[in-house]
């Protein structure tokens, strides 16, 4: 590949990872990209690097427009390895380049590389770097999503380099959102945005709202958002900001996700009358069997739905392991604005449904108790109880949904 111009004298020089399917445990069925950018100005400036496996690719892309030895500045917006782990290879070409980074970024980088041979400038919000005709202003975004994170803004180009924020895990020949929707679809792109937000940014809704408000208060004027994953937003950058605000404010579909696992199909059997009860209340329903579904997809389906029913058999007096894993993962993502319930089967002693409700309480999620349980095999009477619980839960979800 070669560099792709995104603004006058500003180029994408990143790498496309068609093959990655497991991104630190997050399933990426469409691969991803590691975007970084080069400002070809009086002082040539590289914004971010790429994952180490792709060092040669970004260096080739840089070489398609300039000699990497001419790079004067390297801006590091975030030190997670997918963006910084080729910095040593880059610095081999331009050892005298100045690295612009936050204080926490520098401290983190010190733990990954021998940084003693490199030059650093520690930056804070409002600091800027003149590259010639362009001025790169820095905007710290701590915990969006690491303590070191920041964005860079180029006023003269009306360009926000947003790092992980507004990204998507999409490996595509298209570099821009409008190109992507022409050859694929708006819904594929929207789905990729929700998937990324649910699995990476769900815990940070309040921070996102505050940061967007800060950007608006600073009056930053931009017509393009260039994230470090996926396509660049040039068609309608305000739309993705609004999508983020909606999600941060708790937007979800009037829908119930039934997330379950099963041993001998009793808990699985319960999903059918539950689904029927939910649908008879006019509420959509999505059923996810955990052992058949990657975790990140189950998380996304949870996030898209206003309500969630967890189905778990009791195994050795506690929840089924895959269900416990899902709920532990979910707790780390600190979900909000969702209502929950639980159901499941047991043999000689229950415990799993109670465990699930305790997990909901630990997460601070509203829940609808006491759920429904059956011993061994669901009988016709149990089917009726499941159906009625599904209806009652759907009514609760509808009521809860009116708050948003
Ligand atoms: Fe894409 Fe937080 O790294």
């Amino acid at each position: 590949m070669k560099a792709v111009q995104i603004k006058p004298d500003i180029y994408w020089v990143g790498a496309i990872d068609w093959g990655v399917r497991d991104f630190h445990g997050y399933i990426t069925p469409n691969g991803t990209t590691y975007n970084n950018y080069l400002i070809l100005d009086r002082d040539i400036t590289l914004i971010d690097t790429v994952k180490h496996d792709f060092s040669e690719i970004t260096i080739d892309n840089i070489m398609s427009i300039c000699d990497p030895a001419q790079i004067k500045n390297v801006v590091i917006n975030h030190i997670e390895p997918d963006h910084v782990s080729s910095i040593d290879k880059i610095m081999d070409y331009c050892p005298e380049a100045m690295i612009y980074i936050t204080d926490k970024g520098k401290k983190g980088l010190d733990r990954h590389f021998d940084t003693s041979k490199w030059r650093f400038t520690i930056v804070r919000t409002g600091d800027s770097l003149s590259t010639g005709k362009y001025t790169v202003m820095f905007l710290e975004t701590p915990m969006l999503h690491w303590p070191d994170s920041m964005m860079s803004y180029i006023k003269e180009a009306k360009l926000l380099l947003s790092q992980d924020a507004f990204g998507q895990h999409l490996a595509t020949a298209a570099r821009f959102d409008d190109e992507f929707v022409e050859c694929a679809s708006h819904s594929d792109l929207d789905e990729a945005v929700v998937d990324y937000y649910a699995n990476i940014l769900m815990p940070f809704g309040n921070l996102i709202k505050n940061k967007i408000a800060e950007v608006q208060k600073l009056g930053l004027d931009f017509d393009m958002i260039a994230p470090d994953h996926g396509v660049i937003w040039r068609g309608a950058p305000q739309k993705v900001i609004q999508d983020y605000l909606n999600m941060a404010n708790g937007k979800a579909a009037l829908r119930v996700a039934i997330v379950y696992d099963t041993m001998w199909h009793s808990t699985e059997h319960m999903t059918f009358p539950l689904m029927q009860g939910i649908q008879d209340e006019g509420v959509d329903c999505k059923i996810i069997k955990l052992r058949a579904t990657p975790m990140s997809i189950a998380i996304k389906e949870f996030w898209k739905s206003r309500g969630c029913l967890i189905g778990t058999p009791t195994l050795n007096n506690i929840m089924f392991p895959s269900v416990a894993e899902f709920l532990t993962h979910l707790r780390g993502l600190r979900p909000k604005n969702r209502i929950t319930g639980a159901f499941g089967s047991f043999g000689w002693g229950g415990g799993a449904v109670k465990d699930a409700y305790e997990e909901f309480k630990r997460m601070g999620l509203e829940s609808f108790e006491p759920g429904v349980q059956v011993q061994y095999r669901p009988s016709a009477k149990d089917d009726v109880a499941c159906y009625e619980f599904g209806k009652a839960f759907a009514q609760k979800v509808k009521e809860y949904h009116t708050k948003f």
Side-chain angles (χ1 to χ4, degrees):
M1 283 200 68
K2 58 179 187 159
V4 177
Q5 183 163 291
I6 65 167
K7 286 276 185 177
D9 298 320
I10 303 178
Y11 293 82
W12 173 91
V13 288
I16 305 171
D17 190 350
W18 302 109
V20 65
R21 291 292 176 272
D22 181 340
F23 190 95
H24 61 46
Y26 174 167
I27 298 303
T28 48
N30 300 305
T32 193
T33 68
Y34 313 106
N35 299 337
N36 59 339
Y37 303 94
L38 190 84
I39 306 172
L40 204 55
D41 205 353
R42 178 198 66 210
D43 295 342
I44 296 177
T45 299
L46 181 68
I47 312 271
D48 293 322
T49 75
V50 296
K51 191 176 170 188
H52 59 92
D53 320 42
F54 296 86
S55 306
E56 288 182 11
I57 289 178
T58 194
I59 287 164
D60 279 353
N61 288 343
I62 294 168
M63 283 177 167
S64 74
I65 45 172
C66 73
D67 176 355
Q70 295 177 313
I71 294 173
K72 288 278 194 310
N73 306 303
V74 176
V75 174
I76 295 297
N77 282 319
H78 178 32
I79 62 161
E80 194 161 6
D82 49 329
H83 305 295
V84 85
S85 56
S86 60
I87 190 171
D88 52 342
K89 299 286 188 299
I90 299 286
M91 295 306 288
D92 283 347
Y93 284 88
C94 50
E96 295 303 316
M98 182 65 76
I99 299 172
Y100 292 80
I101 192 167
T102 61
D103 182 50
K104 286 204 165 61
K106 165 70 168 55
K107 286 178 175 140
L109 209 60
D110 290 343
R111 305 289 297 178
H112 290 81
F113 296 96
D114 172 10
T115 58
S116 60
K117 53 190 189 275
W118 299 335
R119 301 191 306 139
F120 288 90
T121 297
I122 304 299
V123 296
R124 307 195 59 168
T125 293
D127 291 348
S128 61
L129 155 69
S130 171
T131 62
K133 70 180 174 189
Y134 284 130
T135 310
V136 182
M137 191 191 96
F138 306 109
L139 179 67
E140 292 170 279
T141 57
M143 295 319 298
L144 284 178
H145 67 121
W146 276 24
D148 56 278
S149 300
M150 69 171 182
M151 297 183 188
S152 298
Y153 169 66
I154 304 175
K155 182 181 170 189
E156 299 85 351
K158 294 190 177 183
L159 172 63
L160 181 67
L161 299 148
S162 62
Q163 222 291 307
D164 274 333
F166 310 116
Q168 335 89 50
H169 283 310
L170 277 180
T172 162
R175 296 276 63 77
F176 299 96
D177 58 336
D178 49 319
E179 288 174 355
F180 179 84
V181 299
E182 259 181 39
C183 61
S185 72
H186 277 286
S187 60
D188 286 352
L189 186 53
D190 289 346
E191 190 77 0
V193 169
V194 174
D195 186 89
Y196 190 91
Y197 186 102
N199 281 281
I200 295 176
L201 297 169
M202 192 196 299
F204 309 117
N206 286 335
L207 288 173
I208 286 166
K209 281 192 278 187
N210 292 342
K211 194 51 67 177
I212 289 175
E214 187 184 331
V215 167
Q216 285 165 342
K217 199 169 161 195
L218 286 168
L220 305 188
D221 180 22
F222 50 85
D223 59 17
M224 182 181 287
I225 298 176
D228 274 8
H229 295 290
V231 295
I232 295 164
W233 302 95
R234 75 172 171 188
Q238 297 308 322
K239 179 186 178 302
V240 72
I241 293 175
Q242 190 56 51
D243 288 346
Y244 265 50
L245 279 173
N246 290 343
M247 288 189 279
N249 283 320
K251 183 185 174 189
L254 177 56
R255 190 179 82 150
V256 173
I258 299 181
V259 179
Y260 79 99
D261 221 325
T262 197
M263 291 175 67
W264 291 103
H265 304 293
S266 292
T267 301
E268 188 164 60
H269 177 100
M270 296 169 78
T271 63
F272 294 99
L274 282 164
M275 177 194 74
Q276 194 61 59
I278 293 163
Q279 287 195 317
D280 284 356
E281 282 297 321
V283 175
D284 190 16
C285 189
K286 175 84 177 177
I287 303 182
I288 301 115
K289 180 176 181 177
L290 283 168
R291 290 214 306 291
T293 310
M295 181 66 68
S296 51
I297 291 175
I299 292 290
K300 178 184 69 175
E301 296 301 341
F302 166 90
W303 179 244
K304 287 167 66 177
S305 310
R306 180 65 68 205
C308 177
L309 284 177
I310 293 289
T312 174
T314 293
L315 176 64
N316 299 324
N317 300 322
I318 60 173
M319 275 188 284
F320 195 68
S322 59
V323 179
E325 183 190 358
F326 173 77
L327 290 176
T328 301
H329 196 78
L330 190 62
R331 177 153 49 86
L333 290 167
R334 303 200 294 274
K336 290 187 180 65
N337 307 321
R338 304 294 188 274
I339 183 167
T340 52
F343 64 97
S345 62
F346 64 95
W348 48 100
V353 167
K354 180 169 153 285
D355 282 356
Y357 277 106
E358 281 171 7
E359 269 297 323
F360 302 149
K361 286 191 178 74
R362 286 179 79 183
M363 288 189 249
L365 289 174
E366 190 159 325
S367 55
F368 181 54
E369 297 192 53
V372 59
Q373 299 186 68
V374 304
Q375 187 172 21
Y376 291 118
R377 305 293 300 164
S379 63
K381 199 172 149 196
D382 290 325
D383 283 354
V384 173
C386 286
Y387 175 81
E388 293 301 337
F389 181 67
K391 275 181 77 78
F393 185 70
Q395 285 164 10
K396 272 286 186 197
V397 172
K398 284 194 283 190
E399 190 185 311
Y400 187 72
H401 193 63
T402 60
K403 295 183 187 176
F404 299 93

